[in-house]
Amino acid sequence: MGLIRKPSQLQVKPTLAVLIYGQPGIGKTTLACSAPEPVLFDCDGGVTRINGAHMVDTLQVERWEDIDAALKEIEGGQDYKTIIIDTCGKLLAFMEDYIKRTDPKLADRSGSLTLKGYGARKQMFINFINRVRLTGRSIVFVAHEQEQKRGDETVIRPEIGGSSVNDLIKELDLVGYMEAYGEGNEMYRAIAFNPSSKFYAKNTCSLPSPIQLPATVNPQGEATGKNDFLTKTIAAYFQKRKEDQERVSDYEDLMQCIEGKVECIENAETANEVVAEIMKMQHIFNSKEMASQLIAKQAKKVGIVYNKIKGAYEPAKD
């Protein structure tokens, strides 16, 4: 097999990169911990606010070196399938602190990063995402929301420093915005993956949106259900990717069959027979339109034309 592959031969990434964001206290970290076999990198000191029934193995981050050391342990074979970063903004703050300590020239007199320093942080951030994904594990980022003016409109976006939000979203498969609806006992939470004029989101696998989130804790603070929303969502994502690839393979097989039939067209009679056969086929994607183009090209080659009134091919008139 050469380096260039057909669509059905493309490798599907075995990992998923997700961002969950919303207002403080809405349950973002608990939702993130519903991912398959997670380890939480608690950059924000919020792990103790999670219901005890939903806590997971946790790294309490105090500096960037803690994250680097933990990643080395995980790369060495620790049995986790998902790394959770809570919050993404604090992760960037740890990176910034590390850059200032190890290369003071990248900070100005006020203590802020220079332009070159921000470039170094951006590259450090991208390298971190790639490093996690190369371990074969999924990554879930948690972020708070912030409002941003876009003309006269207000848009809600993840609270991630500077242009890093754009760098992050490019690398992500899913971006979900969490909101609360209703009040009191009628209140429920939902997450939306489809982008809107109101907020940022990203949905690469046609998940329904918004999705009402199951209640995992009652008003008394007692755990009431299994915390597995993201585990199910990620499983659905990979199942959809598998089905899409199988459908692409079926499309390629169908087009190969159509091309073989079209090549058999030698005159008006065989053209009409081939058209009748192709019309009866179960078409996929744009196979019907592609077949029409192939037939028209072959018809021109053998000197026949389509009579729209008769609805059939006939010899071209001299």
mmCIF file of all heavy atoms in Angstrom, residues 51-74:
data_model
loop_
_atom_site.group_PDB
_atom_site.id
_atom_site.type_symbol
_atom_site.label_atom_id
_atom_site.label_comp_id
_atom_site.label_asym_id
_atom_site.label_seq_id
_atom_site.Cartn_x
_atom_site.Cartn_y
_atom_site.Cartn_z
ATOM 1 N N ASN A 51 -18.748 15.615 44.468
ATOM 2 C CA ASN A 51 -19.362 14.632 45.353
ATOM 3 C C ASN A 51 -18.429 13.434 45.505
ATOM 4 O O ASN A 51 -17.844 12.950 44.529
ATOM 5 C CB ASN A 51 -20.702 14.188 44.761
ATOM 6 C CG ASN A 51 -21.462 13.270 45.700
ATOM 7 O OD1 ASN A 51 -21.151 12.104 45.820
ATOM 8 N ND2 ASN A 51 -22.470 13.817 46.377
ATOM 9 N N GLY A 52 -18.290 12.949 46.735
ATOM 10 C CA GLY A 52 -17.359 11.860 47.012
ATOM 11 C C GLY A 52 -17.565 10.634 46.137
ATOM 12 O O GLY A 52 -16.603 9.944 45.774
ATOM 13 N N ALA A 53 -18.815 10.364 45.768
ATOM 14 C CA ALA A 53 -19.110 9.187 44.946
ATOM 15 C C ALA A 53 -18.578 9.325 43.527
ATOM 16 O O ALA A 53 -18.450 8.328 42.810
ATOM 17 C CB ALA A 53 -20.619 8.957 44.909
ATOM 18 N N HIS A 54 -18.278 10.555 43.119
ATOM 19 C CA HIS A 54 -17.861 10.796 41.739
ATOM 20 C C HIS A 54 -16.395 11.185 41.616
ATOM 21 O O HIS A 54 -15.923 11.505 40.530
ATOM 22 C CB HIS A 54 -18.733 11.890 41.115
ATOM 23 C CG HIS A 54 -20.186 11.555 41.124
ATOM 24 N ND1 HIS A 54 -21.165 12.508 41.328
ATOM 25 C CD2 HIS A 54 -20.833 10.370 40.981
ATOM 26 C CE1 HIS A 54 -22.357 11.920 41.304
ATOM 27 N NE2 HIS A 54 -22.182 10.637 41.101
ATOM 28 N N MET A 55 -15.661 11.157 42.734
ATOM 29 C CA MET A 55 -14.239 11.491 42.686
ATOM 30 C C MET A 55 -13.463 10.406 41.945
ATOM 31 O O MET A 55 -13.853 9.237 41.934
ATOM 32 C CB MET A 55 -13.684 11.670 44.094
ATOM 33 C CG MET A 55 -14.073 12.987 44.747
ATOM 34 S SD MET A 55 -13.213 13.223 46.326
ATOM 35 C CE MET A 55 -13.738 14.886 46.745
ATOM 36 N N VAL A 56 -12.344 10.830 41.335
ATOM 37 C CA VAL A 56 -11.490 9.912 40.583
ATOM 38 C C VAL A 56 -10.042 10.144 41.020
ATOM 39 O O VAL A 56 -9.752 11.069 41.780
ATOM 40 C CB VAL A 56 -11.638 10.144 39.066
ATOM 41 C CG1 VAL A 56 -13.072 9.904 38.616
ATOM 42 C CG2 VAL A 56 -11.192 11.555 38.677
ATOM 43 N N ASP A 57 -9.132 9.304 40.554
ATOM 44 C CA ASP A 57 -7.718 9.505 40.849
ATOM 45 C C ASP A 57 -7.312 10.907 40.402
ATOM 46 O O ASP A 57 -7.671 11.342 39.303
ATOM 47 C CB ASP A 57 -6.864 8.463 40.118
ATOM 48 C CG ASP A 57 -7.074 7.054 40.671
ATOM 49 O OD1 ASP A 57 -7.852 6.903 41.640
ATOM 50 O OD2 ASP A 57 -6.469 6.116 40.122
ATOM 51 N N THR A 58 -6.546 11.587 41.258
ATOM 52 C CA THR A 58 -6.304 13.011 41.032
ATOM 53 C C THR A 58 -4.856 13.408 41.267
ATOM 54 O O THR A 58 -4.219 12.936 42.221
ATOM 55 C CB THR A 58 -7.205 13.853 41.961
ATOM 56 O OG1 THR A 58 -8.580 13.547 41.684
ATOM 57 C CG2 THR A 58 -6.978 15.338 41.754
ATOM 58 N N LEU A 59 -4.353 14.280 40.400
ATOM 59 C CA LEU A 59 -3.082 14.955 40.614
ATOM 60 C C LEU A 59 -3.400 16.380 41.033
ATOM 61 O O LEU A 59 -4.026 17.132 40.281
ATOM 62 C CB LEU A 59 -2.253 14.973 39.316
ATOM 63 C CG LEU A 59 -1.034 15.902 39.326
ATOM 64 C CD1 LEU A 59 0.055 15.349 40.240
ATOM 65 C CD2 LEU A 59 -0.495 16.118 37.911
ATOM 66 N N GLN A 60 -3.003 16.763 42.259
ATOM 67 C CA GLN A 60 -3.208 18.134 42.716
ATOM 68 C C GLN A 60 -1.991 18.956 42.287
ATOM 69 O O GLN A 60 -0.929 18.877 42.879
ATOM 70 C CB GLN A 60 -3.408 18.166 44.228
ATOM 71 C CG GLN A 60 -4.731 17.517 44.652
ATOM 72 C CD GLN A 60 -4.969 17.571 46.149
ATOM 73 O OE1 GLN A 60 -4.276 16.902 46.917
ATOM 74 N NE2 GLN A 60 -5.946 18.363 46.558
ATOM 75 N N VAL A 61 -2.196 19.742 41.231
ATOM 76 C CA VAL A 61 -1.091 20.434 40.570
ATOM 77 C C VAL A 61 -0.702 21.696 41.339
ATOM 78 O O VAL A 61 -1.554 22.516 41.679
ATOM 79 C CB VAL A 61 -1.476 20.811 39.124
ATOM 80 C CG1 VAL A 61 -0.294 21.487 38.425
ATOM 81 C CG2 VAL A 61 -1.932 19.579 38.350
ATOM 82 N N GLU A 62 0.609 21.842 41.588
ATOM 83 C CA GLU A 62 1.130 23.054 42.207
ATOM 84 C C GLU A 62 2.063 23.814 41.280
ATOM 85 O O GLU A 62 2.276 25.011 41.450
ATOM 86 C CB GLU A 62 1.866 22.694 43.503
ATOM 87 C CG GLU A 62 0.937 22.114 44.567
ATOM 88 C CD GLU A 62 1.648 21.823 45.865
ATOM 89 O OE1 GLU A 62 2.889 22.049 45.920
ATOM 90 O OE2 GLU A 62 0.990 21.373 46.820
ATOM 91 N N ARG A 63 2.605 23.115 40.294
ATOM 92 C CA ARG A 63 3.485 23.746 39.317
ATOM 93 C C ARG A 63 3.567 22.851 38.092
ATOM 94 O O ARG A 63 3.146 21.701 38.129
ATOM 95 C CB ARG A 63 4.879 24.010 39.907
ATOM 96 C CG ARG A 63 5.556 22.757 40.398
ATOM 97 C CD ARG A 63 6.725 23.037 41.311
ATOM 98 N NE ARG A 63 7.639 23.996 40.714
ATOM 99 C CZ ARG A 63 8.794 24.341 41.278
ATOM 100 N NH1 ARG A 63 9.142 23.825 42.444
ATOM 101 N NH2 ARG A 63 9.606 25.206 40.697
ATOM 102 N N TRP A 64 4.073 23.391 36.985
ATOM 103 C CA TRP A 64 4.118 22.655 35.725
ATOM 104 C C TRP A 64 4.879 21.341 35.863
ATOM 105 O O TRP A 64 4.524 20.327 35.261
ATOM 106 C CB TRP A 64 4.761 23.506 34.633
ATOM 107 C CG TRP A 64 5.078 22.689 33.415
ATOM 108 C CD1 TRP A 64 6.292 22.258 32.997
ATOM 109 C CD2 TRP A 64 4.124 22.137 32.503
ATOM 110 N NE1 TRP A 64 6.173 21.492 31.874
ATOM 111 C CE2 TRP A 64 4.846 21.405 31.550
ATOM 112 C CE3 TRP A 64 2.731 22.202 32.399
ATOM 113 C CZ2 TRP A 64 4.228 20.734 30.491
ATOM 114 C CZ3 TRP A 64 2.105 21.548 31.351
ATOM 115 C CH2 TRP A 64 2.849 20.827 30.419
ATOM 116 N N GLU A 65 5.929 21.340 36.667
ATOM 117 C CA GLU A 65 6.732 20.131 36.821
ATOM 118 C C GLU A 65 5.906 18.946 37.315
ATOM 119 O O GLU A 65 6.210 17.790 37.008
ATOM 120 C CB GLU A 65 7.911 20.395 37.779
ATOM 121 C CG GLU A 65 9.013 21.256 37.183
ATOM 122 C CD GLU A 65 8.773 22.741 37.316
ATOM 123 O OE1 GLU A 65 7.620 23.143 37.602
ATOM 124 O OE2 GLU A 65 9.729 23.517 37.133
ATOM 125 N N ASP A 66 4.843 19.214 38.105
ATOM 126 C CA ASP A 66 3.965 18.127 38.569
ATOM 127 C C ASP A 66 3.287 17.451 37.376
ATOM 128 O O ASP A 66 3.166 16.215 37.331
ATOM 129 C CB ASP A 66 2.894 18.682 39.520
ATOM 130 C CG ASP A 66 3.476 19.264 40.786
ATOM 131 O OD1 ASP A 66 4.582 18.847 41.177
ATOM 132 O OD2 ASP A 66 2.816 20.133 41.385
ATOM 133 N N ILE A 67 2.815 18.250 36.437
ATOM 134 C CA ILE A 67 2.142 17.709 35.259
ATOM 135 C C ILE A 67 3.121 16.903 34.413
ATOM 136 O O ILE A 67 2.816 15.796 33.952
ATOM 137 C CB ILE A 67 1.518 18.851 34.427
ATOM 138 C CG1 ILE A 67 0.406 19.521 35.228
ATOM 139 C CG2 ILE A 67 0.997 18.341 33.082
ATOM 140 C CD1 ILE A 67 -0.176 20.751 34.571
ATOM 141 N N ASP A 68 4.307 17.445 34.227
ATOM 142 C CA ASP A 68 5.317 16.755 33.427
ATOM 143 C C ASP A 68 5.671 15.406 34.043
ATOM 144 O O ASP A 68 5.762 14.389 33.332
ATOM 145 C CB ASP A 68 6.564 17.636 33.322
ATOM 146 C CG ASP A 68 7.624 17.044 32.425
ATOM 147 O OD1 ASP A 68 7.312 16.759 31.249
ATOM 148 O OD2 ASP A 68 8.768 16.861 32.875
ATOM 149 N N ALA A 69 5.824 15.384 35.353
ATOM 150 C CA ALA A 69 6.163 14.131 36.034
ATOM 151 C C ALA A 69 5.018 13.120 35.943
ATOM 152 O O ALA A 69 5.247 11.922 35.732
ATOM 153 C CB ALA A 69 6.509 14.415 37.500
ATOM 154 N N ALA A 70 3.785 13.606 36.096
ATOM 155 C CA ALA A 70 2.624 12.711 36.022
ATOM 156 C C ALA A 70 2.477 12.126 34.623
ATOM 157 O O ALA A 70 2.135 10.937 34.456
ATOM 158 C CB ALA A 70 1.356 13.465 36.416
ATOM 159 N N LEU A 71 2.723 12.931 33.599
ATOM 160 C CA LEU A 71 2.647 12.432 32.228
ATOM 161 C C LEU A 71 3.685 11.341 31.983
ATOM 162 O O LEU A 71 3.414 10.363 31.274
ATOM 163 C CB LEU A 71 2.841 13.575 31.230
ATOM 164 C CG LEU A 71 1.632 14.492 31.017
ATOM 165 C CD1 LEU A 71 1.985 15.619 30.066
ATOM 166 C CD2 LEU A 71 0.439 13.713 30.480
ATOM 167 N N LYS A 72 4.859 11.497 32.557
ATOM 168 C CA LYS A 72 5.893 10.468 32.423
ATOM 169 C C LYS A 72 5.433 9.156 33.057
ATOM 170 O O LYS A 72 5.673 8.073 32.520
ATOM 171 C CB LYS A 72 7.197 10.940 33.052
ATOM 172 C CG LYS A 72 7.896 12.028 32.239
ATOM 173 C CD LYS A 72 9.146 12.536 32.941
ATOM 174 C CE LYS A 72 9.803 13.649 32.110
ATOM 175 N NZ LYS A 72 10.973 14.241 32.805
ATOM 176 N N GLU A 73 4.741 9.253 34.204
ATOM 177 C CA GLU A 73 4.196 8.043 34.840
ATOM 178 C C GLU A 73 3.161 7.388 33.940
ATOM 179 O O GLU A 73 3.145 6.164 33.769
ATOM 180 C CB GLU A 73 3.556 8.401 36.186
ATOM 181 C CG GLU A 73 4.531 8.722 37.294
ATOM 182 C CD GLU A 73 3.833 8.931 38.618
ATOM 183 O OE1 GLU A 73 2.643 8.552 38.741
ATOM 184 O OE2 GLU A 73 4.462 9.485 39.537
ATOM 185 N N ILE A 74 2.293 8.205 33.369
ATOM 186 C CA ILE A 74 1.231 7.685 32.508
ATOM 187 C C ILE A 74 1.826 7.072 31.242
ATOM 188 O O ILE A 74 1.392 6.013 30.781
ATOM 189 C CB ILE A 74 0.229 8.800 32.170
ATOM 190 C CG1 ILE A 74 -0.559 9.174 33.431
ATOM 191 C CG2 ILE A 74 -0.727 8.377 31.058
ATOM 192 C CD1 ILE A 74 -1.409 10.414 33.287
#
